[in-house]
């Protein structure tokens, strides 16, 4: 057999310079080669014809492609994106790839700037190319490389001319490197990061390593800068001027994610001045706990793929900064760079704004799991040089960032000697950081015990150090590198995880999966997911599992996470006081201002500042509240206390809310159990009137044969206000096939809960009540729910009491329990008193606060990329739906949940994209006594027992009256 072509060879490449530290700028000249490049796409990897690399090649007939960019996002003529989670989209026969291997030839002609220095050398840097590239300059081959999310450089000074330089790249979509990059994201070939020409003055640094440990006992930092050439290091703020390789110890302020103190310095060597951004900090494991600068760290983290809905992984600096600012504004303090090193400019932002970083290697071989890991490259010595190359390019590029506190070998690669070799190399090169890898439960090569999606009970066990396993593992800090799968509606159970993290010192938080939905702009669907671009093999909307929607709008899940991880806890401190706890790792409360407001039945009666001392991190204090203002007797009253930024920061203005708490003072007045017992309704109850096939009861008109409500005052009613137990399953309801727990969505559908039938057993009426007895049940099952509706009325209000009694052996919970009715579409405004302003469910309710809220009906829903149950407002006392001329108010005898939308649950369930949902002529109102929780079972644990809606006898009631009543 002939030798394999270079792109199928397991070697990492040839011709590249050794990896080195990346820095954004120096005083040396640089030329960006980003922009429009000439481009030709071939369906196969033709390695014979290299004529396009010749300086005189005529590419006038070619198209163009943007660099940075991905050719598959340029239009159908260039192919299309493809999404798989685990499975390789090509036959698994390492290191071979298909003959059908789309190949993009790229050409860029450029002149050197007039002020380009005459002396010294030059380096061509390519920061990211998927999946491999062969490179020529002015007809001379420079070499080739693999490692898509890694920087590669070539020495080119001897080849450059002042004018008409021609840079040629041949990029293959598939290579042996693709087996190492099975990273649960879109497969997007192209030159997607910067291409830059760098002048290298004579004697300038090739590489440097800034060492800046901090001693938290003495408050001193020690600075030493290694450099491959002699030079000097200056830090004016510290009064330092020393030679490279020398050490100096001085008093400093340490760097942390909460107080990202950076000292600006400069490295001067040869003819170049390189800026240094120095953060003094020490990472350690002490008594089984990870510390930075002697303080335990609690990660409030996210996993972040690089993604833009139009440009794929080609992110500009403004988008990266937007990500960081959004993280800081939502109390996120840590990022795992899943599953590859990010654009290096992102780490500069993390240094500046303050985020802990787990920097992950460009490595994942997850597709071999389905093959029992047979042929896995990380356990094949032929691939070890490629693995070591990836480890070196990770560490050398990013080693000078204080935000990076852990190196991660990669993700979901099983185990093997290649990983051990990587770990040994990294430990030898940089012992100042911890080493992370989740895939080896022995933790032989790691400094932390890392897990994905363990259930809460297991986290509790691990926190108590009662878990089984190697003794060494039980001595390690515990981190959830992935948890709380943010796919669709959810994730649920965040607050329950956070309680465990804050209870057990060993549990040092985790990283929600993930930051953003990877919905690509689609001409029909708005945003597309797997399968929408013609892929034969795909994993559907599993690529849409983020806390941000593709346009970077925060989802309800992100708002919930912000509240759950808020670094200040505000709780009831006893009569007339609150307890304020500072949950920061480092910072005191001096940067925050506190305010109070007093609410009665949701209305704010008074507000004012609250004097809270600068409590140290980890400490608590009790603070007295003012005397409550006068308020109506019997009103439900509550204090709301907010912690906001006292001054502007780099990531938010003064007044930005960091944390809040509500402290009840008096509960709501007890709701009447029936119209006849209501002191608020002194008029006599009305008698049902049967006439011409209708029954009239106060403002309600019913069908005499079915008992269905037909109208409510001047409002027509569709659907009869009858029992509803179905919801359009969420992604978390549907679960994942590999889950060990029961998946409720398929079970619900298998039972037929989406097609319940309503049998009328009896309709009776008396002097003051209309009673309808029914049995609600699915076909092909002996399960059912005996349901009794009791209607009563006074002069203006109609009350519905519902009693349910399940029949049969219900082994699965109900999706929901309530009533549904259709109202005129003209009702377009909602006002409610209850929890808000956004959607909330039993286990996603931390961010919902009590108040009086108002919104357009059309904004109540949440536009998840795959339509599913959404938009519920929990703990509602009353809700009004109004138009310009009409309206209705609904009260509950206890707190309830309401949802209002312009399509039925059945239509919502049938839709694959938001564009499939077309508003109808009915507004469907759901009034729920209860809903089943959300959980995280699209990849994580299901709904906790406390949030299950098990079938059981229940009774609840609603009173319908005119708006404003």
């Amino acid at each position: 057999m002939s030798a394999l072509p270079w792109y199928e060879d397991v070697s990492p490449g040839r011709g590249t310079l050794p990896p080195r530290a990346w820095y954004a700028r120096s005083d040396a000249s640089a030329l960006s080669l980003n922009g429009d490049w000439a481009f030709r796409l071939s369906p196969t990897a033709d390695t014979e014809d290299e004529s396009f690399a010749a300086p005189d090649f005529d590419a006038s007939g070619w198209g163009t492609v943007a660099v940075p960019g991905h050719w598959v996002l340029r239009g159908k003529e260039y192919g299309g994106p493809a999404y798989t989670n685990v499975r390789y989209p090509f036959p698994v026969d390492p290191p071979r790839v298909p003959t059908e291997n789309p190949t993009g030839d790229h050409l860029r002609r450029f002149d050197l700037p007039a002020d380009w220095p005459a002396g010294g050398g030059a380096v061509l840097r390519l920061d990211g190319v998927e999946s491999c590239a062969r490179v020529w300059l002015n007809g001379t081959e420079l070499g080739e490389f693999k490692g898509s999310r890694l920087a590669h450089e070539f020495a080119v000074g001897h080849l450059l001319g002042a004018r008409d330089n021609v840079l040629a790249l041949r990029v293959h979509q598939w290579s042996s490197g693709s087996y190492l990059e099975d990273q649960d994201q879109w497969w997007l070939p192209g030159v997607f990061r910067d291409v830059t020409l760098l002048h290298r003055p004579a004697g300038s640094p090739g590489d440097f390593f800034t060492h800046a440990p901090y001693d938290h006992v003495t408050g001193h930092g020690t600075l030493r800068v290694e450099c491959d050439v002699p030079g000097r290091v200056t830090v004016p703020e510290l009064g330092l001027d020393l030679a490279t390789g020398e050490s100096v110890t001085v008093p400093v302020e340490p760097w942390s994610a909460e107080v990202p103190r950076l000292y600006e310095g400069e490295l001067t060597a040869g003819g170049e001045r390189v800026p240094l951004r120095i953060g003094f900090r020490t990472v350690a494991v002490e008594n089984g706990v990870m510390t930075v600068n002697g303080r335990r760290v609690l990660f409030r983290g996210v996993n972040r793929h690089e993604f833009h809905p139009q440009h794929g992984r080609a992110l500009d600096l403004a988008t990266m900064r937007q990500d960081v600012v959004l993280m800081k504004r939502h109390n996120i303090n840590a990022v795992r760079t899943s599953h590859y090193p990010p654009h290096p400019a992102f780490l500069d932002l993390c240094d500046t704004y303050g985020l802990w970083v787990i920097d992950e290697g460009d490595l994942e071989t997850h597709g071999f799991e389905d093959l029992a890991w047979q042929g896995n490259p990380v356990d094949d010595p032929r691939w070890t040089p490629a693995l070591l190359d990836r480890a070196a390019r990770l560490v050398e590029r990013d080693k000078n960032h204080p935000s990076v506190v852990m190196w991660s070998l990669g993700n979901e690669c099983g185990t093997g000697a290649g990983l051990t070799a990587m770990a040994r190399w990294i430990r030898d090169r940089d012992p100042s950081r911890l080493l992370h890898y989740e895939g080896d439960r022995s933790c032989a090569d790691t400094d932390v015990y890392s897990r994905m999606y363990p259930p809460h009970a297991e986290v509790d066990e691990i926190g108590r150090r009662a878990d089984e396993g190697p003794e060494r593992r039980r001595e390690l800090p515990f981190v959830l590198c992935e948890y709380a799968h943010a796919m669709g509606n959810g994730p649920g159970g965040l607050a329950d995880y956070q309680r465990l993290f804050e209870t057990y010192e060993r549990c040092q938080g985790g990283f929600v999966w993930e930051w953003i939905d990877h919905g690509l702009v689609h001409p029909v669907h708005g945003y597309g997911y797997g399968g929408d671009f013609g892929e034969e093999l795909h994993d559907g909307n599993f690529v849409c599992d983020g806390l941000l929607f593709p346009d970077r709008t925060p989802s309800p899940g992100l708002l919930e996470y912000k509240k759950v991880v808020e670094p200040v806890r505000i709780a009831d401190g006893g009569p007339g006081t609150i307890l304020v706890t500072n949950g920061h790792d480092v910072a005191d409360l001096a940067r925050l201002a506190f305010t109070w407001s007093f609410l009665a039945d949701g209305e704010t009666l008074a507000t004012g500042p609250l004097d809270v001392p600068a409590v140290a991190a980890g400490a608590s204090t009790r603070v007295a509240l003012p005397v409550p203002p006068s308020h109506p007797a019997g009103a439900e009253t509550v204090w709301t206390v907010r912690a906001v930024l006292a001054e502007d920061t780099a990531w938010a203005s003064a007044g930005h809310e960091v944390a809040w708490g509500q402290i009840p003072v008096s509960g709501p007045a007890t709701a009447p159990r029936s119209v006849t017992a209501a002191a608020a309704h002194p008029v006599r109850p009305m008698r049902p009137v049967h006439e011409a096939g209708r029954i009239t009861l106060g403002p309600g008109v019913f069908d005499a044969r079915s008992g269905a409500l037909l109208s409510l005052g001047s409002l027509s009613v569709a659907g009869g206000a009858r029992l509803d137990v179905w919801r359009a399953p969420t992604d978390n309801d549907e679960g994942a096939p590999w889950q060990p727990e029961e998946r409720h969505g398929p079970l619900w559908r298998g039972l037929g809960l989406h097609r319940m039938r309503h049998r009328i057993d009896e309709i009776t009426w008396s002097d003051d009540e209309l009673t309808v007895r029914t049995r609600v049940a699915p076909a092909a099952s002996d399960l059912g729910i005996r349901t009794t509706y009791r209607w009563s009325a006074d002069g203006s209000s109609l009350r519905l009491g519902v009693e349910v009694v399940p029949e049969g052996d219900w082994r699965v919970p109900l999706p929901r329990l309530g009533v549904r009715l259709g109202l005129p579409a003209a009702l377009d405004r909602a006002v409610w008193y209850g929890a808000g302003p956004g959607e909330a469910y039993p286990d996603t309710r931390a961010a919902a606060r009590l108040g009086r809220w108002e919104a357009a009906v059309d904004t109540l829903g949440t536009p998840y990329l795959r339509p599913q149950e959404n938009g519920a407002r929990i703990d509602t006392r009353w809700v009004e739906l109004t138009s310009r001329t009409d309206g209705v108010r609904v009260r509950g005898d206890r707190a309830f949940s309401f949802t209002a939308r312009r399509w039925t649950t059945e239509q919502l369930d049938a839709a694959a994209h938001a564009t499939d949902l077309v508003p109808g002529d009915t507004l469907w109102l759901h009034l729920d006594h209860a809903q089943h929780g959300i959980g995280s079972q699209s990849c994580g644990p299901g709904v906790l027992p406390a949030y299950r809606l098990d079938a059981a006898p229940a009774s609840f009631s609603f009173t319908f009256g005119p708006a404003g009543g």
Side-chain angles (χ1 to χ4, degrees), residues 258 298-302 331-334 498 502 508-511 561 565-567 583-585:
E258 293 167 4
L298 181 59
F299 292 123
R300 301 167 167 94
V302 292
N331 294 330
I332 290 164
N333 73 352
Q498 193 67 19
E502 295 176 4
Q508 301 201 238
F511 298 79
Y561 194 41
V565 301
E566 63 186 8
H584 287 97
D585 299 327

PDB file of all heavy atoms in Angstrom, residues 258 298-302 331-334 498 502 508-511 561 565-567 583-585:
ATOM      1  N   GLU A 258     -12.896  38.135  41.023  1.00  0.00           N
ATOM      2  CA  GLU A 258     -13.714  39.204  41.608  1.00  0.00           C
ATOM      3  C   GLU A 258     -12.998  40.541  41.634  1.00  0.00           C
ATOM      4  O   GLU A 258     -13.632  41.593  41.492  1.00  0.00           O
ATOM      5  CB  GLU A 258     -14.142  38.800  43.023  1.00  0.00           C
ATOM      6  CG  GLU A 258     -15.096  37.614  43.041  1.00  0.00           C
ATOM      7  CD  GLU A 258     -15.285  37.021  44.416  1.00  0.00           C
ATOM      8  OE1 GLU A 258     -14.732  37.569  45.402  1.00  0.00           O
ATOM      9  OE2 GLU A 258     -15.982  35.997  44.521  1.00  0.00           O
ATOM     10  N   LEU A 298     -15.288  29.001  44.503  1.00  0.00           N
ATOM     11  CA  LEU A 298     -16.537  28.350  44.128  1.00  0.00           C
ATOM     12  C   LEU A 298     -16.877  28.771  42.704  1.00  0.00           C
ATOM     13  O   LEU A 298     -17.187  29.933  42.452  1.00  0.00           O
ATOM     14  CB  LEU A 298     -17.668  28.745  45.087  1.00  0.00           C
ATOM     15  CG  LEU A 298     -19.033  28.114  44.809  1.00  0.00           C
ATOM     16  CD1 LEU A 298     -18.959  26.596  44.854  1.00  0.00           C
ATOM     17  CD2 LEU A 298     -20.075  28.616  45.796  1.00  0.00           C
ATOM     18  N   PHE A 299     -16.808  27.803  41.783  1.00  0.00           N
ATOM     19  CA  PHE A 299     -17.073  28.108  40.378  1.00  0.00           C
ATOM     20  C   PHE A 299     -18.574  28.268  40.148  1.00  0.00           C
ATOM     21  O   PHE A 299     -19.369  27.382  40.440  1.00  0.00           O
ATOM     22  CB  PHE A 299     -16.538  26.997  39.477  1.00  0.00           C
ATOM     23  CG  PHE A 299     -15.037  26.890  39.445  1.00  0.00           C
ATOM     24  CD1 PHE A 299     -14.403  25.707  39.776  1.00  0.00           C
ATOM     25  CD2 PHE A 299     -14.265  27.971  39.075  1.00  0.00           C
ATOM     26  CE1 PHE A 299     -13.023  25.603  39.747  1.00  0.00           C
ATOM     27  CE2 PHE A 299     -12.875  27.887  39.042  1.00  0.00           C
ATOM     28  CZ  PHE A 299     -12.259  26.697  39.374  1.00  0.00           C
ATOM     29  N   ARG A 300     -18.940  29.411  39.612  1.00  0.00           N
ATOM     30  CA  ARG A 300     -20.291  29.668  39.119  1.00  0.00           C
ATOM     31  C   ARG A 300     -20.146  29.772  37.604  1.00  0.00           C
ATOM     32  O   ARG A 300     -20.188  30.863  37.039  1.00  0.00           O
ATOM     33  CB  ARG A 300     -20.840  30.951  39.732  1.00  0.00           C
ATOM     34  CG  ARG A 300     -20.898  30.929  41.263  1.00  0.00           C
ATOM     35  CD  ARG A 300     -21.157  32.337  41.816  1.00  0.00           C
ATOM     36  NE  ARG A 300     -21.507  32.321  43.223  1.00  0.00           N
ATOM     37  CZ  ARG A 300     -20.652  32.468  44.221  1.00  0.00           C
ATOM     38  NH1 ARG A 300     -19.354  32.616  43.947  1.00  0.00           N
ATOM     39  NH2 ARG A 300     -21.056  32.451  45.468  1.00  0.00           N
ATOM     40  N   GLY A 301     -19.974  28.635  36.957  1.00  0.00           N
ATOM     41  CA  GLY A 301     -19.409  28.635  35.622  1.00  0.00           C
ATOM     42  C   GLY A 301     -20.339  28.220  34.505  1.00  0.00           C
ATOM     43  O   GLY A 301     -21.446  27.730  34.723  1.00  0.00           O
ATOM     44  N   VAL A 302     -19.844  28.422  33.293  1.00  0.00           N
ATOM     45  CA  VAL A 302     -20.506  27.963  32.078  1.00  0.00           C
ATOM     46  C   VAL A 302     -19.469  27.335  31.160  1.00  0.00           C
ATOM     47  O   VAL A 302     -18.293  27.691  31.187  1.00  0.00           O
ATOM     48  CB  VAL A 302     -21.222  29.099  31.322  1.00  0.00           C
ATOM     49  CG1 VAL A 302     -22.416  29.615  32.102  1.00  0.00           C
ATOM     50  CG2 VAL A 302     -20.268  30.232  30.976  1.00  0.00           C
ATOM     51  N   ASN A 331     -23.658  37.145  37.052  1.00  0.00           N
ATOM     52  CA  ASN A 331     -22.994  36.539  38.221  1.00  0.00           C
ATOM     53  C   ASN A 331     -22.179  35.307  37.890  1.00  0.00           C
ATOM     54  O   ASN A 331     -21.839  34.524  38.785  1.00  0.00           O
ATOM     55  CB  ASN A 331     -24.020  36.214  39.317  1.00  0.00           C
ATOM     56  CG  ASN A 331     -24.654  37.453  39.913  1.00  0.00           C
ATOM     57  OD1 ASN A 331     -24.030  38.504  39.961  1.00  0.00           O
ATOM     58  ND2 ASN A 331     -25.901  37.338  40.341  1.00  0.00           N
ATOM     59  N   ILE A 332     -21.849  35.106  36.627  1.00  0.00           N
ATOM     60  CA  ILE A 332     -20.985  33.989  36.233  1.00  0.00           C
ATOM     61  C   ILE A 332     -19.538  34.399  36.482  1.00  0.00           C
ATOM     62  O   ILE A 332     -19.124  35.506  36.130  1.00  0.00           O
ATOM     63  CB  ILE A 332     -21.233  33.628  34.758  1.00  0.00           C
ATOM     64  CG1 ILE A 332     -22.619  32.981  34.616  1.00  0.00           C
ATOM     65  CG2 ILE A 332     -20.136  32.728  34.200  1.00  0.00           C
ATOM     66  CD1 ILE A 332     -23.143  32.935  33.203  1.00  0.00           C
ATOM     67  N   ASN A 333     -18.774  33.505  37.087  1.00  0.00           N
ATOM     68  CA  ASN A 333     -17.391  33.853  37.428  1.00  0.00           C
ATOM     69  C   ASN A 333     -16.365  32.920  36.804  1.00  0.00           C
ATOM     70  O   ASN A 333     -15.170  33.069  37.076  1.00  0.00           O
ATOM     71  CB  ASN A 333     -17.202  33.897  38.946  1.00  0.00           C
ATOM     72  CG  ASN A 333     -17.197  32.518  39.603  1.00  0.00           C
ATOM     73  OD1 ASN A 333     -17.487  31.508  38.962  1.00  0.00           O
ATOM     74  ND2 ASN A 333     -16.873  32.465  40.889  1.00  0.00           N
ATOM     75  N   ALA A 334     -16.808  31.968  35.981  1.00  0.00           N
ATOM     76  CA  ALA A 334     -15.857  30.980  35.461  1.00  0.00           C
ATOM     77  C   ALA A 334     -16.318  30.457  34.106  1.00  0.00           C
ATOM     78  O   ALA A 334     -17.514  30.370  33.832  1.00  0.00           O
ATOM     79  CB  ALA A 334     -15.708  29.819  36.445  1.00  0.00           C
ATOM     80  N   GLN A 498     -26.862  24.187  43.860  1.00  0.00           N
ATOM     81  CA  GLN A 498     -26.103  25.260  44.491  1.00  0.00           C
ATOM     82  C   GLN A 498     -26.077  25.110  46.006  1.00  0.00           C
ATOM     83  O   GLN A 498     -25.069  25.415  46.656  1.00  0.00           O
ATOM     84  CB  GLN A 498     -26.697  26.616  44.099  1.00  0.00           C
ATOM     85  CG  GLN A 498     -25.811  27.801  44.447  1.00  0.00           C
ATOM     86  CD  GLN A 498     -24.526  27.839  43.635  1.00  0.00           C
ATOM     87  OE1 GLN A 498     -24.418  27.218  42.579  1.00  0.00           O
ATOM     88  NE2 GLN A 498     -23.534  28.553  44.141  1.00  0.00           N
ATOM     89  N   GLU A 502     -22.637  25.024  48.282  1.00  0.00           N
ATOM     90  CA  GLU A 502     -22.409  25.954  49.382  1.00  0.00           C
ATOM     91  C   GLU A 502     -22.361  25.248  50.736  1.00  0.00           C
ATOM     92  O   GLU A 502     -21.944  25.838  51.733  1.00  0.00           O
ATOM     93  CB  GLU A 502     -23.482  27.043  49.364  1.00  0.00           C
ATOM     94  CG  GLU A 502     -23.383  27.924  48.118  1.00  0.00           C
ATOM     95  CD  GLU A 502     -24.489  28.966  48.024  1.00  0.00           C
ATOM     96  OE1 GLU A 502     -25.295  29.065  48.979  1.00  0.00           O
ATOM     97  OE2 GLU A 502     -24.540  29.691  47.010  1.00  0.00           O
ATOM     98  N   GLN A 508     -16.884  22.316  44.649  1.00  0.00           N
ATOM     99  CA  GLN A 508     -16.428  23.654  44.286  1.00  0.00           C
ATOM    100  C   GLN A 508     -17.116  24.198  43.054  1.00  0.00           C
ATOM    101  O   GLN A 508     -16.553  24.944  42.265  1.00  0.00           O
ATOM    102  CB  GLN A 508     -14.904  23.659  44.169  1.00  0.00           C
ATOM    103  CG  GLN A 508     -14.274  23.225  45.495  1.00  0.00           C
ATOM    104  CD  GLN A 508     -12.854  23.648  45.670  1.00  0.00           C
ATOM    105  OE1 GLN A 508     -11.985  22.819  45.866  1.00  0.00           O
ATOM    106  NE2 GLN A 508     -12.597  24.953  45.634  1.00  0.00           N
ATOM    107  N   GLY A 509     -18.404  23.817  42.943  1.00  0.00           N
ATOM    108  CA  GLY A 509     -19.223  24.387  41.889  1.00  0.00           C
ATOM    109  C   GLY A 509     -19.096  23.641  40.585  1.00  0.00           C
ATOM    110  O   GLY A 509     -18.638  22.492  40.533  1.00  0.00           O
ATOM    111  N   GLY A 510     -19.520  24.296  39.539  1.00  0.00           N
ATOM    112  CA  GLY A 510     -19.535  23.619  38.257  1.00  0.00           C
ATOM    113  C   GLY A 510     -19.798  24.571  37.111  1.00  0.00           C
ATOM    114  O   GLY A 510     -19.846  25.800  37.265  1.00  0.00           O
ATOM    115  N   PHE A 511     -20.002  23.954  35.944  1.00  0.00           N
ATOM    116  CA  PHE A 511     -20.117  24.682  34.688  1.00  0.00           C
ATOM    117  C   PHE A 511     -21.360  24.178  33.954  1.00  0.00           C
ATOM    118  O   PHE A 511     -21.418  23.022  33.534  1.00  0.00           O
ATOM    119  CB  PHE A 511     -18.858  24.457  33.840  1.00  0.00           C
ATOM    120  CG  PHE A 511     -17.601  24.979  34.496  1.00  0.00           C
ATOM    121  CD1 PHE A 511     -16.969  24.253  35.493  1.00  0.00           C
ATOM    122  CD2 PHE A 511     -17.065  26.204  34.136  1.00  0.00           C
ATOM    123  CE1 PHE A 511     -15.830  24.728  36.123  1.00  0.00           C
ATOM    124  CE2 PHE A 511     -15.929  26.697  34.750  1.00  0.00           C
ATOM    125  CZ  PHE A 511     -15.306  25.958  35.746  1.00  0.00           C
ATOM    126  N   TYR A 561     -30.188  31.167  36.519  1.00  0.00           N
ATOM    127  CA  TYR A 561     -28.822  30.883  36.974  1.00  0.00           C
ATOM    128  C   TYR A 561     -28.237  32.101  37.690  1.00  0.00           C
ATOM    129  O   TYR A 561     -27.567  31.967  38.726  1.00  0.00           O
ATOM    130  CB  TYR A 561     -27.963  30.487  35.779  1.00  0.00           C
ATOM    131  CG  TYR A 561     -26.640  29.848  36.146  1.00  0.00           C
ATOM    132  CD1 TYR A 561     -26.539  28.921  37.173  1.00  0.00           C
ATOM    133  CD2 TYR A 561     -25.481  30.158  35.435  1.00  0.00           C
ATOM    134  CE1 TYR A 561     -25.324  28.329  37.496  1.00  0.00           C
ATOM    135  CE2 TYR A 561     -24.267  29.562  35.739  1.00  0.00           C
ATOM    136  CZ  TYR A 561     -24.184  28.656  36.776  1.00  0.00           C
ATOM    137  OH  TYR A 561     -22.985  28.063  37.089  1.00  0.00           O
ATOM    138  N   VAL A 565     -26.915  31.672  41.595  1.00  0.00           N
ATOM    139  CA  VAL A 565     -25.503  31.785  41.967  1.00  0.00           C
ATOM    140  C   VAL A 565     -25.153  33.166  42.498  1.00  0.00           C
ATOM    141  O   VAL A 565     -23.967  33.471  42.670  1.00  0.00           O
ATOM    142  CB  VAL A 565     -24.575  31.425  40.782  1.00  0.00           C
ATOM    143  CG1 VAL A 565     -24.845  30.018  40.301  1.00  0.00           C
ATOM    144  CG2 VAL A 565     -24.718  32.424  39.625  1.00  0.00           C
ATOM    145  N   GLU A 566     -26.130  34.016  42.738  1.00  0.00           N
ATOM    146  CA  GLU A 566     -25.813  35.372  43.187  1.00  0.00           C
ATOM    147  C   GLU A 566     -24.880  35.307  44.398  1.00  0.00           C
ATOM    148  O   GLU A 566     -25.071  34.498  45.314  1.00  0.00           O
ATOM    149  CB  GLU A 566     -27.094  36.140  43.497  1.00  0.00           C
ATOM    150  CG  GLU A 566     -27.926  35.577  44.614  1.00  0.00           C
ATOM    151  CD  GLU A 566     -29.262  36.294  44.786  1.00  0.00           C
ATOM    152  OE1 GLU A 566     -29.599  37.138  43.933  1.00  0.00           O
ATOM    153  OE2 GLU A 566     -29.965  36.000  45.769  1.00  0.00           O
ATOM    154  N   PRO A 567     -23.872  36.175  44.431  1.00  0.00           N
ATOM    155  CA  PRO A 567     -22.838  36.070  45.471  1.00  0.00           C
ATOM    156  C   PRO A 567     -23.194  36.746  46.782  1.00  0.00           C
ATOM    157  O   PRO A 567     -22.345  36.826  47.676  1.00  0.00           O
ATOM    158  CB  PRO A 567     -21.636  36.750  44.812  1.00  0.00           C
ATOM    159  CG  PRO A 567     -22.256  37.769  43.909  1.00  0.00           C
ATOM    160  CD  PRO A 567     -23.520  37.149  43.383  1.00  0.00           C
ATOM    161  N   GLY A 583     -21.255  35.864  49.875  1.00  0.00           N
ATOM    162  CA  GLY A 583     -20.781  34.607  49.315  1.00  0.00           C
ATOM    163  C   GLY A 583     -19.644  34.747  48.328  1.00  0.00           C
ATOM    164  O   GLY A 583     -19.286  33.771  47.666  1.00  0.00           O
ATOM    165  N   HIS A 584     -19.068  35.942  48.207  1.00  0.00           N
ATOM    166  CA  HIS A 584     -17.911  36.103  47.328  1.00  0.00           C
ATOM    167  C   HIS A 584     -16.730  35.263  47.826  1.00  0.00           C
ATOM    168  O   HIS A 584     -16.634  34.941  49.018  1.00  0.00           O
ATOM    169  CB  HIS A 584     -17.476  37.563  47.267  1.00  0.00           C
ATOM    170  CG  HIS A 584     -18.395  38.449  46.472  1.00  0.00           C
ATOM    171  ND1 HIS A 584     -19.373  39.222  47.043  1.00  0.00           N
ATOM    172  CD2 HIS A 584     -18.469  38.686  45.137  1.00  0.00           C
ATOM    173  CE1 HIS A 584     -20.011  39.899  46.104  1.00  0.00           C
ATOM    174  NE2 HIS A 584     -19.486  39.588  44.936  1.00  0.00           N
ATOM    175  N   ASP A 585     -15.849  34.935  46.917  1.00  0.00           N
ATOM    176  CA  ASP A 585     -14.613  34.236  47.293  1.00  0.00           C
ATOM    177  C   ASP A 585     -13.623  35.183  47.956  1.00  0.00           C
ATOM    178  O   ASP A 585     -12.875  34.791  48.848  1.00  0.00           O
ATOM    179  CB  ASP A 585     -13.952  33.616  46.063  1.00  0.00           C
ATOM    180  CG  ASP A 585     -14.820  32.584  45.379  1.00  0.00           C
ATOM    181  OD1 ASP A 585     -15.582  31.890  46.077  1.00  0.00           O
ATOM    182  OD2 ASP A 585     -14.757  32.480  44.134  1.00  0.00           O
TER     183      ASP A 585
END
